[in-house]
Amino acid sequence: MEFDITVLPGDGIGPEVVAEGLKVLNAISDRFHHTFRFHHALLGGIAIDTHGTAMPAETLDTAKKSDAVLLGAVGGPKWDDPTKPVRPEQGLLGIRKGLNLFANLRPIKLMSSLLHASTIKPETLDGTDLIIVRELTGGLYFGKPSRQWTNAQGRRAVDTLAYSEKEIRRILLTGFELARGRKKRLTSVDKANVLTTSRLWRAIANELAVDYPDVKLEHMLVDACAMHLIRRPAAFDVIVTENMFGDILTDEASMLAGSMGMLPSASLGTRTWRRNGQTLRLGLYEPIPGSAPDIAGQGKANPIATIQSVALMLRLSFGLDAEAEAVEKAVIDVLALGYRTVDIMEESATLTTTTEMGNIISDRIHHG
Ligand code: IPM
Ligand code: MG
């Protein structure tokens, strides 16, 4: 089959890790005879430098016309001043909103070869395989009013936490559906003892649960969830939560896998279409680690998060399960063979650069 992919390398280590993701896509196209057409566009700091805006209109246009988007990372010290009116993060939020990518999926699966790479005790981590479903286009990130002003008492600022029934329902449904295909446990995370939006969230979750008798729904307050994530991570299956809670919990949970450099993410929208009898769904795929400007250009970045994001793209946007599995298997094999980037390096392992790791994984895919 043929697919159009918008490629947004972005800033910092973004271009380096994205290059390895594209290498893996090329390996997949050789082995499985697909055509992936790459359309490069600008997002983040690099777009500010060249266009004066973090998300130029042509970037959104290109992305809208494509089947999936591969994003590296945005941001860096050069554009870091939070008081500046134009910031790289606006590109990220802009493309999420512009493509209506309401469901952010962050799977956290501990690879047995990395059991000792985490700061958490191996016996606590053993068996960890969870996925956080984060609402991505609502809540505090987008609520209005959001502004700062001055009155007689001094400066004031406001952000707004607002959710509609429709927004809550569709993200909870994503959680229920995912749980149905996994271990059938759904943890809905809120702050219903304080927040009105959370009480609506909880009520809708209970209503939807009637249609999912096979899924065990539990409600958990966000502070308790933060605690249980490191106390008994293996007990979770699918966690579903609103935008800001999800932002915080996904960084915490990423440490369970040893290094952020391992973790992929998928952001899915509402747009689906049929091609060759297959249902395709627009999604944006992005490694969790961010732009890591301190190690940019040194070959130290771990490309596995991006490569795993490519696997999610193949599965979730293109419905290519065997191809996704080929990527995931190559990653597991290469780690079992002892290859490591510096972030996951351990005694007696073989240290690789970003490019070497991408080459070894791509070779592995070529040779099945
Ligand atoms: C993330 C990031 C972003 C977010 C930032 C860069 C705006 O932390 O994807 O988790 O808060 O969503
Ligand atoms: Mg975050």
Side-chain angles (χ1 to χ4, degrees):
M1 281 174 77
E2 303 195 349
F3 302 94
D4 288 287
I5 300 171
T6 297
V7 181
L8 307 173
D11 310 316
I13 60 169
E16 294 163 65
V17 293
V18 161
E20 304 315 311
L22 299 184
K23 216 177 260 175
V24 162
L25 279 166
N26 285 330
I28 289 291
S29 78
D30 286 350
R31 179 164 153 202
F32 293 88
H33 310 294
H34 297 297
T35 303
F36 299 118
R37 283 183 295 266
F38 302 135
H39 308 276
H40 280 74
L42 298 172
L43 190 81
I46 187 166
I48 294 178
D49 288 351
T50 52
H51 289 65
T53 163
M55 187 182 64
E58 59 256 43
T59 296
L60 186 60
D61 285 349
T62 307
K64 276 185 176 162
K65 281 188 234 135
S66 60
D67 300 316
V69 181
L70 181 64
L71 169 65
V74 300
K78 186 175 171 192
W79 311 278
D80 244 4
D81 181 355
T83 60
K84 282 259 170 69
V86 190
R87 295 184 304 278
E89 291 73 19
Q90 292 164 341
L92 193 56
L93 300 187
I95 198 144
R96 287 173 180 171
K97 195 75 171 174
L99 297 176
N100 204 11
L101 305 172
F102 70 92
N104 182 225
L105 275 43
R106 298 187 170 179
I108 291 149
K109 187 169 182 176
L110 180 73
M111 305 231 177
S112 52
S113 50
L114 295 183
L115 192 56
H116 298 275
S118 172
T119 51
I120 300 179
K121 288 195 199 107
E123 59 268 31
T124 306
L125 283 180
D126 203 14
T128 296
D129 178 5
L130 60 91
I131 178 160
I132 301 188
V133 181
R134 168 187 173 194
E135 200 292 323
L136 204 59
T137 49
L140 282 168
Y141 278 62
F142 296 98
K144 294 277 181 294
S146 168
R147 63 187 186 97
Q148 182 183 317
W149 72 99
T150 307
N151 64 17
Q153 279 76 47
R155 284 172 294 177
R156 278 179 77 81
V158 63
D159 291 297
T160 301
L161 174 49
Y163 271 110
S164 71
E165 173 163 12
K166 180 181 154 211
E167 287 173 312
I168 297 173
R169 185 180 295 273
R170 66 185 181 182
I171 193 72
L172 282 168
L173 278 173
T174 307
F176 274 109
E177 286 293 328
L178 267 172
R180 177 166 270 177
R182 294 173 44 109
K183 287 177 275 176
K184 299 184 174 25
R185 287 202 304 272
L186 180 65
T187 306
S188 172
V189 174
D190 61 37
K191 188 72 185 175
N193 53 350
V194 179
L195 301 174
T196 316
T197 41
S198 285
R199 287 191 280 273
L200 177 60
W201 181 285
R202 202 174 267 219
I204 294 173
N206 286 334
E207 288 158 23
L208 293 175
V210 176
D211 294 329
Y212 292 86
D214 50 324
V215 174
K216 190 176 177 309
L217 168 70
E218 66 171 341
H219 300 284
M220 195 177 279
L221 297 173
V222 63
D223 47 351
C225 183
M227 186 259 296
H228 287 305
L229 266 175
I230 50 173
R231 198 175 83 143
R232 48 169 185 80
F236 288 101
D237 180 16
V238 179
I239 294 174
V240 60
T241 192
E242 68 90 37
N243 202 346
M244 177 67 116
F245 297 159
D247 178 44
I248 298 166
L249 292 179
T250 51
D251 261 30
E252 185 195 11
S254 73
M255 282 296 104
L256 300 168
S259 165
M260 267 188 156
M262 301 295 298
L263 296 177
S265 80
S267 301
L268 300 175
T270 44
R271 202 181 109 212
T272 60
W273 63 99
R274 305 278 297 169
R275 187 182 301 158
N276 294 354
Q278 191 99 339
T279 300
L280 309 187
R281 182 176 188 183
L282 178 68
L284 177 143
Y285 299 84
E286 167 193 10
I288 297 240
S291 61
D294 50 319
I295 59 161
Q298 301 169 35
K300 287 184 181 166
N302 187 344
I304 293 180
T306 309
I307 291 169
Q308 301 278 49
S309 300
V310 162
L312 289 180
M313 176 191 292
L314 294 168
R315 180 178 293 120
L316 300 175
S317 274
F318 304 160
L320 301 176
D321 290 343
E323 289 81 343
E325 272 160 39
V327 174
E328 287 163 350
K329 180 171 181 305
V331 170
I332 292 172
D333 289 352
V334 163
L335 289 171
L337 287 168
Y339 294 105
R340 299 284 187 276
T341 44
V342 67
D343 57 314
I344 49 173
M345 188 56 191
E346 54 194 312
E347 241 180 74
S348 77
T350 310
L351 184 64
T352 73
T353 63
T354 310
T355 317
E356 285 163 353
M357 182 59 98
N359 289 344
I360 296 166
I361 293 172
S362 305
D363 284 350
R364 195 88 198 163
I365 293 170
H366 266 124
H367 301 126

